[in-house]
């Protein structure tokens, strides 16, 4: 009985391990599917510009990280740092240019804010002399 139980338990475990192995096998790409872009849009001010741009970005699955906006003399300008799937950048850019009325929009590649480094590094060295 003990031998049968051990054999049966071992067979069940082997089947589960094989099933788990098949389910969890994935192919990973060397490229990161997520990409950071900067959206720069400007034109005459009107209500709803930010909502229009943000809606298009989120509909494409993008995430707005940081943004800056300015109103000067009746003109509105906005810059957004957006994280989005690499495959959706071109269609997002096209959709922004075509569907945000009265605005001129450009899209630029950016680096991850986590990877950004300042160069040259500004710093000071202090020397303490004691007697």
């Amino acid at each position: 009985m003990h031998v049968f139980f051990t054999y049966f338990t071992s067979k069940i475990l082997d089947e589960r391990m094989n099933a788990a192995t098949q389910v969890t096998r994935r192919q990973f790409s060397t490229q990161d599917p997520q990409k950071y872009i900067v959206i720069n849009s400007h034109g005459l001010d009107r209500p709803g510009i930010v909502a229009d741009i943000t809606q298009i970005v989120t509909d494409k699955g993008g995430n707005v990280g940081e943004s800056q906006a300015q109103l000067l003399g009746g003109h509105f300008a906005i810059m957004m740092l957006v994280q989005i799937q690499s495959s959706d950048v071109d269609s997002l850019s096209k959709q922004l240019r075509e569907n945000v009325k009265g605005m001129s929009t450009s899209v630029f590649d950016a680096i991850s804010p986590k990877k950004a480094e300042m160069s040259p590094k500004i710093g000071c060295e202090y020397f303490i002399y004691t007697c």
Side-chain angles (χ1 to χ4, degrees):
M1 173 86 169
H2 177 62
V3 173
F4 176 74
F5 180 73
T6 304
Y7 171 77
F8 185 71
T9 306
S10 176
K11 185 145 177 84
I12 290 174
L13 288 175
D14 286 345
E15 288 174 3
R16 287 185 182 169
M17 290 296 286
N18 288 338
T21 303
Q22 290 173 1
V23 171
T24 58
R25 262 187 222 149
R26 297 180 189 157
Q27 291 189 1
F28 292 97
S29 171
T30 56
Q31 292 183 339
D32 185 3
Q34 292 287 314
K35 184 174 193 171
Y36 286 90
I37 59 172
V38 172
I39 297 171
N40 184 8
S41 191
H42 57 88
L44 291 175
D45 189 30
R46 64 169 173 79
I49 295 171
V50 176
D52 291 348
I53 294 171
T54 305
Q55 185 68 48
I56 292 170
V57 169
T58 56
D59 286 349
K60 281 288 184 187
N63 182 40
V64 177
E66 300 175 29
S67 66
Q68 291 185 351
Q70 187 69 45
L71 179 62
L72 294 170
H75 291 268
F76 179 79
I78 187 166
M79 290 180 67
M80 293 179 166
L81 179 64
V82 172
Q83 184 179 13
I84 191 166
Q85 293 289 327
S86 297
S87 58
D88 292 331
V89 173
D90 291 336
S91 62
L92 173 66
S93 179
K94 182 180 178 185
Q95 204 169 10
L96 286 168
R97 284 193 305 271
E98 292 175 356
N99 296 338
V100 183
K101 303 296 181 205
M103 300 294 285
S104 176
T105 302
S106 302
V107 175
F108 304 96
D109 287 341
I111 60 171
S112 167
K114 297 172 189 169
K115 296 180 183 176
E117 283 189 31
M118 296 295 290
S119 180
K121 295 183 187 232
I122 300 172
C124 300
E125 290 184 24
Y126 293 96
F127 298 99
I128 299 175
Y129 296 99
T130 60
C131 297

